[in-house]
Amino acid sequence: MRLDEFFVTGDPLIYGADVSIALTLIGAIFALTYFKKWKWLWSEWLTTVDHKKLGIMYIIAAVLMLFRGGVDAMLMRAQLTVPDAGFLDAKHYNEIFTTHGTIMIIFMAMPFLIGLINVVVPLQIGARDVAYPFLNAVSFWTFFMGAMLFNISFVIGGSPSAGWTSYVPLAGLELSPGVGQNYYLLGLQIAGIGTLLTGINFLVTILKMRVPSMKLMQMPIFTWSSLITMVIIIFAFPVLTVALALMTFDRLFGSHFFTMMDGGMPMLWANLFWIWGHPEVYIVILPAFGMFSEIISTFARKTIFGYKAMVYSMVIIAGLSFLVWVHHFFTMGAGGAVNSFFSITTMLIAVPTGVKIFNWLFTLYKGRIRFTTAMLWALAFIPNFVIGGVTGVMLAMAAADYQYHNTYFLVAHFHYVLISGTVYACFAGLYFWYPKMFNHRLNERLGKWSFWIFVAGFNLCFFPMYFLGLAGMPRRVYTYGVADGWMSMNVLATFGGLLMGIGFLILVYNIYYSFRYSPRETTGDPWDARTLEWSTPAPVPHYNFAHLPEAKGHDAFWIMKEEIKQGKKPEKKPYKPIHMPSYSGVPVVMSVFFFIAGFGMVFSWNWMSILGLIGVLATMVIRSFDYDKGFYVSVEEIEEHEKTT
Amino acid sequence: MEAVEHSPNTPLEYQTETGRLNILGFWIFLGAEIALFSTLFATYLVLVGRTADGPGPAELFEISGVLIETFLLLTSSFTCGLAIHYMRNHSLKGVFVWIGITLALGLGFLGFEIYEFVHYIHEGAALTTSAYWSAFFVLVGTHGAHVTLGIGWIILILIQLKQRGLTPDTSRKVFISSLYWHFLDVVWIFIFTAVYLYGMVM
Amino acid sequence: MKSMLALSMFFAVMVLSGCSNLTVLDPKGPVAEQQANLILFSIGFMLFIVVVVFVLFTLILVKYRERKSGPEYEPPHIEGNVFLEIVWTVIPIIILVVLAIPTVQTIFALEEAPEATSHKDPIVIHATSVDWKWVFSYPEENIETVNYLHIPEDHPILFKLASADSMGSFWIPSLGGQEYTMSGMMNELFLQADVPGEYRGRNANFTGEGFTEQTFTVTAESEEDYEEWVEEAQDAPELTQEKYNELMMKGHVEEMTFSETHLQWVDHGMDAEYATKVRNGEPTDDESSEMDHSEMNHDDDDKESEEHSH
């Protein structure tokens, strides 16, 4: 392979990216060396198994990916603003929408939510860590390396360009030669390992690591939503694993699962992809529902309305999520009976979702509503998600879907549910739990600016797209003609997109600003909140709880505070040593080997993939022989911590 | 993790918190494995008959080799169960003997399977021949890869048993690997039925 | 909240001014009309739901905001209300049933030729997508066109959809919804134009670099004009296999007209491999490829010959 085939050449945008990546790397290396932070980086972060730190790293990575995916979005909007624009050509546009979709779903939405789950869930259930702290680190690092592998594609070798759904035969070797599609397959595969491990880890954590007094029906809604999400992950992700592996075999080893030649069946890919893909949608929306429940309940100063209905509706949604995948291709010609069945199952999802919407509304009813930034995000979710939801029902009506399918109507719909659902939740959760993570709040004034600009921009960007769809504009076109008459709506959309970008930048600035100027927290409960994570002091000690708290209901901390108000004295119990797991460098090293193996496979450099796989196996062997049992936090150290806080 | 109180009858592997958590986690992992193999089976069944220019399964499958493989693997599942029985009786020697036999049977299974694959490839049925054979090799091959990994893993556990004897940690590892081994046995029964028996009557 | 209101006003104006070009809601044939009716029917219900939620939402936020109730107000402890929860479970179910019935009816109705013209034999047109063009074959008329279509008005058309390579989606928004074209698969789609005119058709499913320009025009005209066009087209140069194989190469081409159709060499609905073989320079109609499709081909040949005998 020649060097100019290895590096992507010929585009000023890419050269710009090359330079900025190089500068960032050099800058980071310089800063770490200059401030003598290498050891700190290794021993505090790279080797950590602490769920709070891993959660923070997930969120940082997700924000970076949000930036990358957002830049992709901006480039697309720039190209589509006016008819016959020449800013991007078809090839680049295709690469950009492919990476935008893949990054936003796999490398932004999921890790952002999993990051918040990492930080919050163990605290909410009164646990000192997750069930398998070591595996948790493996989860993070495989996700991170998978994401990196996917992301370097645009400077080394070329990006995938067959859409995030990678439909075959287009994504097959015949029609997409080159390494781009391989990056997609390997990047997702490696990140998928981490997701599956997270699923198992948190399922066991929530089932087995709760404080003994917390019954299942006393778990906070966010914990419930996480539990259900983990079950979906465990059954959905293996399907993706297989689908990706089969396409990898097709492309690298000449098998015929999805090819046009020798009996391959392209439709099989679409089915497998969406059997994973639809549950995936609920993987990124259920935790969002959980967060909104916590936030709305906290800032309305009321317990959640219809707790049981909230739980059952999520269970029903999870079950239905496996029964609706065909609605992604009603137009495949499966016949009336099949389309009718999947139309109806899809519509049914609206029922439990509607129940949740009304339960949120009635949680607010008779409450005392404080409009903090976190609450604003949660509130804006309701009307926006309803718009996304009702248009979802419209799309579920197969006969009508023949007209919406593959158009901007669909694009508008899934951005309405994914942005107002998942992204709003990420922002809401970030503002809400920020003091738990960093011991200071994000600035409220900047937060509100960023909120209003982003939400206005979002509606301005995506609402017109419903009409573009009805006007016949298909998704994934890189340009259109004057005669199509789509310009005015596209101008609006681009303007809206710009506002969203500004809103995001204000958020990022707010992180810096608050780091510098926000007062540090003195209590662990800045919002007068209701669940156990707020009973921990500020900053949260690495062992989370000096004494395991007691749960007497799903608003366990609220109940504690009520009891204290009524004069109950907290009893002083003596501290006992606390057992904690040791940090380990194995997860990060193992994941680096995964990266090497993946990179080798992308380019079909067998020596490199074999080297990488041997490395992976070797790290597993090392782990197998590792009988480290962790350590005990001494009573003195606990006393020291509890005194200062 | 902390050792919590347990009755004297509690098996070694269940005596620690870590033991209980890991065993539960592994059961859940097997749930994910079921989803994985189900997908492979579904793929296989969808692609049955899509043999393009290549031979069909009925022409190539030979019942005798497959029956030997089945016999070896089923027996190994039984001997693996005996190993756990001896582990419960705190007989390190029994564990070594029966796991040793299990591994030997597993290796025998692998040997016959590799021979079978080579034979098919000689007869003109390889991964690249047709959709059908792609599905066959990947489904049966994934199972075979699991068996291979399992053998390597169990060897590592034997070394640790040799080093440390029967402790809550090592017996946990033995127990979990036995779950894995039985699971592969169950998957094989499905492969035997859905691939070989069905393929021969097709 | 005010900015939200201003925004929605703004949208309303935009929508009203832009309505004329909402192709999907401006149907030119019975299929598109059934779909437009279903869409409008559902929009009604959806607006109702949106209004209910928005009104409740606004009222609750205004009434129970802290600035109004004051920091002393302590909200009551309400765990839920079974009656209310049943209400907002049952009402959505009723709405969904009301939506599902016409949906299912329309799904099945669209599988048949439009009722009003069911006495006429549909015209069969094979529409084949090839990266990045559209090939239309009229087997009964024995003509083939590229990137354009002529159809008579008030006459059901049965499109037989297939692809030579990547999966496309055949879509003429003015006449009705889309359906996929796939290699080795045959889909059927009935469409009909009630109003003469020029309509845009295109591939709606992403097929790579040339996807955006993978379009065609549809001319719907009176039966007489259509007959005239057919006769003219039958005088066009004959389609040779060599010429057809050139069309299999990736790329865009101008509109073309041929007499004879490619169906004599290949039916992409049965043979998924043709285009790939042509591109790789492999033989396409050798004995072996005949044989390996012989099983599947049998019923198709029967069907095909039936059609010819009509």
Side-chain angles (χ1 to χ4, degrees), chain A residues 90-91 94 97 161-163 167 169-170 174-175 260-263 267 300-307 309 328-329 331-333 335-337 339-340 343-344 347-348 350-351 355 357-359 361-362 364-371 379 382-383 386-387 390 393-394 397-400 402-407 452 455-456 459-460 463-464 467 469-472 474-479 483-485 488-489 492 558, chain C residues 1 3-4 7 10-11 14-15 21-25 32 35 38-39 42-43 46 49-50 52-54 56-57 60-61 64-67 69-81 84-85 88-89 92-93 96 99-100 103-104 106-108 110-111 131 164-167 169 171 173 176-180 182-183 185 187 200 202-209 211-213 250 272-273 276-277 279-280 282:
Chain A
K91 180 170 166 288
N94 296 346
F97 76 68
S161 60
Y167 273 14
L170 178 62
E174 297 282 353
L175 300 177
M260 290 183 284
M261 304 294 283
D262 294 320
M267 278 186 306
R301 242 184 134 71
K302 269 183 75 209
T303 192
I304 194 82
F305 189 94
Y307 174 87
H328 294 273
F329 42 85
T331 51
M332 203 178 256
N339 281 358
S340 300
S343 270
I344 291 168
M347 287 180 174
L348 277 179
V351 176
V355 167
I357 295 279
F358 282 101
N359 279 344
L361 285 177
F362 276 76
L364 293 166
Y365 175 73
K366 289 197 170 171
R368 191 174 103 204
I369 301 167
R370 275 182 294 162
F371 293 100
L379 291 175
I382 293 177
V386 167
I387 295 174
V390 294
V393 175
M394 291 170 70
M397 301 163 66
Y402 305 155
Q403 286 281 33
Y404 307 131
H405 185 59
N406 273 331
T407 71
W452 284 109
V455 170
N459 284 285
L460 202 55
F463 204 75
F467 298 98
L470 294 175
R475 69 196 287 209
R476 294 173 169 177
V477 289
Y478 81 100
T479 191
D484 290 314
S488 55
M489 295 290 179
L492 273 185
W558 188 260
Chain C
M1 284 296 101
S3 65
M4 291 277 261
L7 250 162
F10 183 58
F11 283 138
M14 288 296 303
V15 173
N21 89 47
L22 296 184
T23 326
V24 167
L25 299 181
Q35 289 166 327
L38 188 62
I39 291 170
S42 66
I43 287 180
M46 297 309 145
I49 296 169
V50 168
V52 168
V53 175
F54 279 35
L56 259 177
F57 179 73
I60 291 174
L61 286 196
Y64 296 106
R65 65 194 202 277
E66 187 174 53
R67 243 175 301 166
S69 59
E72 300 306 311
Y73 167 69
E74 197 53 45
H77 181 80
I78 306 171
E79 295 205 335
N81 182 316
L84 279 177
E85 289 178 65
W88 60 61
T89 312
I93 290 178
L96 290 187
L99 289 174
T103 301
V104 172
T106 316
I107 290 173
F108 282 100
L110 294 182
E111 297 203 325
D131 283 354
D165 43 28
S166 51
M167 185 170 84
S169 192
W171 190 32
Q178 61 196 281
E179 185 134 8
Y180 285 164
M182 291 174 285
S183 59
M185 285 280 296
N187 271 336
R200 295 154 180 281
R202 63 162 303 120
N203 179 4
N205 195 63
F206 181 59
T207 47
E209 233 176 300
F211 160 67
T212 303
E213 294 89 0
K250 283 184 175 187
E273 304 183 344
T276 312
K277 283 179 175 166
R279 285 173 196 165
N280 294 345
E282 292 165 28

Side-chain angles (χ1 to χ4, degrees), chain A residues 429-443:
Chain A
L430 190 67
Y431 276 92
F432 188 54
W433 283 297
Y434 206 80
K436 268 294 131 202
M437 293 184 261
F438 297 104
N439 208 27
H440 61 267
R441 278 180 252 186
L442 286 169
N443 182 281

Side-chain angles (χ1 to χ4, degrees), chain A residues 132 200 203-204 208 234 238-239 242 246 249 253-257 262-265 268 272 579 624-625 627 629, chain B residues 1 21-22 24-25 28 32 36 39-40 43 46-47 50 52 127-128 130-131 134-135 138 156 160 164 169-170 173:
Chain A
Y132 317 114
I200 297 171
L203 180 59
V204 177
K208 289 288 166 193
I234 289 165
V239 182
V242 170
L246 300 187
F249 289 151
F253 309 129
S255 60
H256 290 288
F257 290 102
D262 294 320
M265 196 189 228
L268 181 61
L272 292 179
H579 179 259
S624 180
F625 280 87
Y627 277 74
K629 295 221 160 160
Chain B
M1 297 264 160
L21 285 178
N22 287 12
L24 175 64
I28 294 168
L36 184 129
T39 314
L40 285 173
T43 304
V46 165
L47 297 178
R50 293 180 158 251
L127 181 77
T128 53
S130 66
S134 298
V138 169
L156 292 181
Q160 292 169 33
R164 294 163 186 274
D169 286 319
T170 52
K173 292 186 182 199

Side-chain angles (χ1 to χ4, degrees), chain A residues 111-301:
Chain A
F112 212 132
L113 296 168
I114 290 178
L116 287 164
I117 289 172
N118 256 287
V119 172
V120 176
V121 165
L123 293 171
Q124 271 196 339
I125 59 175
R128 286 179 174 139
D129 209 320
V130 295
Y132 317 114
F134 177 90
L135 272 192
N136 206 15
V138 175
S139 284
F140 170 74
W141 287 111
T142 47
F143 143 70
F144 185 77
M145 290 301 164
M148 289 302 107
L149 185 63
F150 184 84
N151 271 277
I152 58 164
S153 66
F154 86 111
V155 289
I156 296 176
S159 293
S161 60
W164 88 281
T165 48
S166 281
Y167 273 14
V168 279
L170 178 62
L173 198 55
E174 297 282 353
L175 300 177
S176 295
V179 298
Q181 187 60 27
N182 298 351
Y183 272 116
Y184 171 94
L185 295 168
L186 275 306
L188 262 63
Q189 190 69 282
I190 293 172
I193 299 170
T195 311
L196 180 62
L197 294 179
T198 297
I200 297 171
N201 204 343
F202 276 83
L203 180 59
V204 177
T205 303
I206 296 170
L207 287 179
K208 289 288 166 193
M209 307 281 284
R210 279 172 287 137
V211 281
S213 53
M214 185 186 279
K215 298 190 192 77
L216 272 179
M217 273 302 178
Q218 291 178 337
M219 299 196 308
I221 294 282
F222 180 51
T223 300
W224 258 115
S225 72
S226 304
L227 175 79
I228 296 163
T229 304
M230 297 309 150
V231 175
I232 304 180
I233 286 178
I234 289 165
F235 288 106
F237 263 77
V239 182
L240 178 70
T241 303
V242 170
L244 292 171
L246 300 187
M247 200 198 279
T248 310
F249 289 151
D250 272 5
R251 290 183 59 90
L252 299 184
F253 309 129
S255 60
H256 290 288
F257 290 102
F258 309 128
T259 58
M260 290 183 284
M261 304 294 283
D262 294 320
M265 196 189 228
M267 278 186 306
L268 181 61
W269 167 264
N271 278 281
L272 292 179
F273 183 86
W274 287 114
I275 287 174
W276 160 78
H278 203 84
E280 165 69 12
V281 176
Y282 291 91
I283 292 171
V284 296
I285 205 69
L286 288 181
F289 286 173
M291 288 187 217
F292 290 132
S293 301
E294 304 290 343
I295 291 165
I296 287 173
S297 167
T298 298
F299 294 111
R301 242 184 134 71

